[in-house]
Amino acid sequence: EPCHTSLDGHPFYGMTLDPEQKVFAEAILDPQKLVIFANSCAGTGKTTVAMGAANLLVRHGLYDGIIGLVSACNEGRQGFLPGDITAKSEVYFEPFYQAMIECKMNPQRDVCDASMVNQKTGEGIVKLLTESFIRGTNFHNKVVIIDECQNFTGPNLKKAITRISDSCKLICIGHDGQCDLENKEASGFVRYVRHFEGDNRVAICALTTNHRGWISSHADELEF
């Protein structure tokens, strides 16, 4: 079955997408778009939509797998956490795990890491990484999701994006109002949105509806 570039008439893992989520998902499914940015506030389902659309592309054979990439957001101190690379990174991957479950994926089967059997069996299609460990890495024929992009400094976001070849599809999701960096001006997210905008191979999306409810929405209205 071919991968539909439009969601009209096709269910999205049993979820009803709002109009903005649908635009975002269809941008990811569009074969003409190599880079998709989404500046999205809290509770908009941005990671879930990104993971679900990426999974469709991989399951239909258009890409070899999914790379989920986050920032450790602690100025390079991730190495001081206990354990091996998996243990050091696990705490940062929870949003990806939740998104996978929402999309009827099974993290125990679909995530590929050194501690799981699916690393050897080839069943794992999702590789989760922090930017701390990607220097010298090259990504080919993958859907690369960079989550919480606002927590990447400019140089770290540059390090991440320059790992990616044109055989990939890049999805950058974040929110310019939720930066956790001590120096918020150091974030590279908005600068990279502006750097890429205007190219017909790039889609710039915005998700503004908080589906978590009143508590989350009301809290998000207060600016610091």
Side-chain angles (χ1 to χ4, degrees):
E1 182 183 357
C3 184
H4 299 282
T5 56
S6 173
L7 294 174
D8 288 337
H10 301 285
F12 193 81
Y13 306 97
M15 292 178 270
T16 300
L17 301 184
D18 70 30
E20 292 174 336
Q21 290 174 326
K22 188 175 177 182
V23 168
F24 180 38
E26 290 186 339
I28 296 170
L29 297 176
D30 186 344
Q32 302 302 316
K33 302 300 181 185
L34 296 183
V35 179
I36 302 93
F37 285 94
N39 192 351
S40 310
C41 65
T44 54
K46 52 189 178 292
T47 308
T48 297
V49 173
M51 181 61 72
N55 185 50
L56 290 176
L57 292 171
V58 173
R59 296 300 181 186
H60 285 84
L62 300 177
Y63 295 90
D64 292 339
I66 301 168
I67 302 294
L69 186 62
V70 294
S71 172
C73 196
N74 55 10
E75 300 180 1
R77 294 190 293 271
Q78 185 181 0
F80 288 94
L81 294 173
D84 60 14
I85 184 172
T86 300
K88 292 176 188 292
S89 304
E90 196 75 15
V91 64
Y92 302 104
F93 298 150
E94 185 61 26
F96 285 123
Y97 292 138
Q98 292 184 11
M100 293 173 69
I101 292 168
E102 286 285 324
C103 296
K104 310 297 190 292
M105 299 169 69
N106 181 352
Q108 291 298 318
R109 177 198 65 213
D110 294 329
V111 174
C112 180
D113 69 48
S115 66
M116 294 184 178
V117 174
N118 55 22
Q119 170 89 354
K120 299 178 181 178
T121 63
E123 295 178 5
I125 64 166
V126 181
K127 184 72 174 178
L128 301 178
L129 302 167
T130 68
E131 53 81 19
S132 305
F133 300 105
I134 64 168
R135 179 70 71 186
T137 301
N138 298 302
F139 298 130
H140 299 284
N141 208 40
K142 308 293 184 186
V143 182
V144 181
I145 303 172
I146 306 182
D147 201 7
E148 303 294 350
C149 275
Q150 76 279 357
N151 290 332
F152 284 71
T153 65
N156 282 345
L157 192 53
K158 182 175 184 177
K159 177 176 67 175
I161 294 176
T162 55
R163 306 297 102 201
I164 299 168
S165 73
D166 284 355
S167 64
C168 294
K169 185 179 290 276
L170 171 62
I171 308 167
C172 293
I173 49 182
H175 184 220
D176 56 7
Q178 297 184 73
C179 182
D180 297 322
L181 295 172
E182 184 174 343
N183 176 13
K184 299 186 187 322
E185 297 300 319
S187 174
F189 178 50
V190 172
R191 291 184 64 185
Y192 261 109
V193 171
R194 293 170 178 165
H195 184 68
F196 274 92
E197 68 183 351
D199 192 296
N200 59 12
R201 295 163 293 187
V202 177
I204 310 294
C205 302
L207 283 74
T208 59
T209 302
N210 189 327
H211 294 280
R212 290 178 184 148
W214 171 77
I215 296 174
S216 179
S217 299
H218 195 58
D220 198 41
E221 292 173 359
L222 185 60
E223 296 185 2
F224 293 94

